[in-house]
Amino acid sequence: MMNYIQTIRKLIGNEMLMTVGCGIIIEHENQILLQHRKDRDVWGIPGGVMEPGETFLETAVRETFEETGLIVEQLKLFGLYSGEEGFSEYPNGDKVFSVQIIFYSNCFSGELTHNTEESHEHRFFPRNNLPHLNSHQERFIQDWVNQMTLPVIK
């Protein structure tokens, strides 16, 4: 099944596309869940792009389940992120500008899946020992590290 992004990419090629990304900072025992991406050698939070008709919450929960196998509940708004850090160019040349809606939860169930289509593994990390982060997600992960007052709006 072709998704919205694939459909639009057929029409515009690699040109700039605006997207809405939704992700979840999942915390367990004062540690954050990060995924090691396959497309880039970086770590970031689970999440992805909103499909037409979805709510922010539906997108975050769906993407997190697809990527991790976890069912996340009791989401709270963590932050809204926009600005220059939202620009990205993928290895295939696709350009995007993404506005990010980030949630927080420490309530989840299910079995953590590791080797998925998009990631090598998932692991919980303490605030003082984070791996090489996805530069496009680093600001909200650092806001979690610094225990910013929520919601964060940047």
Side-chain angles (χ1 to χ4, degrees):
M1 183 172 116
M2 188 174 300
N3 66 27
Y4 174 72
I5 299 294
Q6 291 170 330
T7 301
I8 297 301
R9 282 287 172 214
K10 284 191 167 218
L11 299 172
I12 68 168
N14 298 115
E15 293 301 315
M16 180 67 62
L17 177 63
M18 285 190 68
T19 62
V20 176
C22 299
I24 306 177
I25 291 176
I26 299 172
E27 186 177 302
H28 180 64
E29 297 179 354
N30 232 2
Q31 296 187 14
I32 189 171
L33 178 65
L34 298 177
Q35 63 178 350
H36 188 198
R37 301 280 308 179
K38 283 186 176 178
D39 56 355
R40 298 178 183 180
D41 187 22
V42 294
W43 292 77
I45 66 170
V49 177
M50 178 181 275
E51 291 288 336
E54 281 187 313
T55 66
F56 300 131
L57 285 170
E58 288 169 343
T59 301
V61 170
R62 174 186 54 80
E63 285 284 347
T64 299
F65 178 74
E66 289 174 2
E67 294 177 2
T68 68
L70 298 178
I71 298 166
V72 184
E73 298 177 306
Q74 299 179 19
L75 280 70
K76 297 175 188 166
L77 180 62
F78 182 85
L80 307 172
Y81 294 82
S82 57
E84 290 185 20
E85 293 91 339
F87 287 105
S88 181
E89 185 170 342
Y90 289 91
N92 66 358
D94 288 354
K95 297 172 194 70
V96 298
F97 173 74
S98 185
V99 174
Q100 299 288 323
I101 315 306
I102 306 301
F103 295 96
Y104 167 89
S105 180
N106 60 4
C107 181
F108 58 91
S109 61
E111 188 171 328
L112 190 59
T113 306
H114 288 284
N115 193 11
T116 67
E117 185 177 320
E118 297 181 24
S119 58
H120 293 293
E121 70 173 304
H122 296 90
R123 191 181 328 157
F124 283 93
F125 290 90
R127 284 180 166 81
N128 63 354
N129 190 26
L130 297 177
H132 178 62
L133 298 175
N134 179 337
S135 62
H136 301 287
Q137 295 188 353
E138 186 166 7
R139 61 188 173 153
F140 36 88
I141 295 169
Q142 288 301 330
D143 285 346
W144 171 80
V145 167
N146 296 322
Q147 300 180 5
M148 299 291 287
T149 301
L150 303 183
V152 178
I153 301 177
K154 292 185 176 181

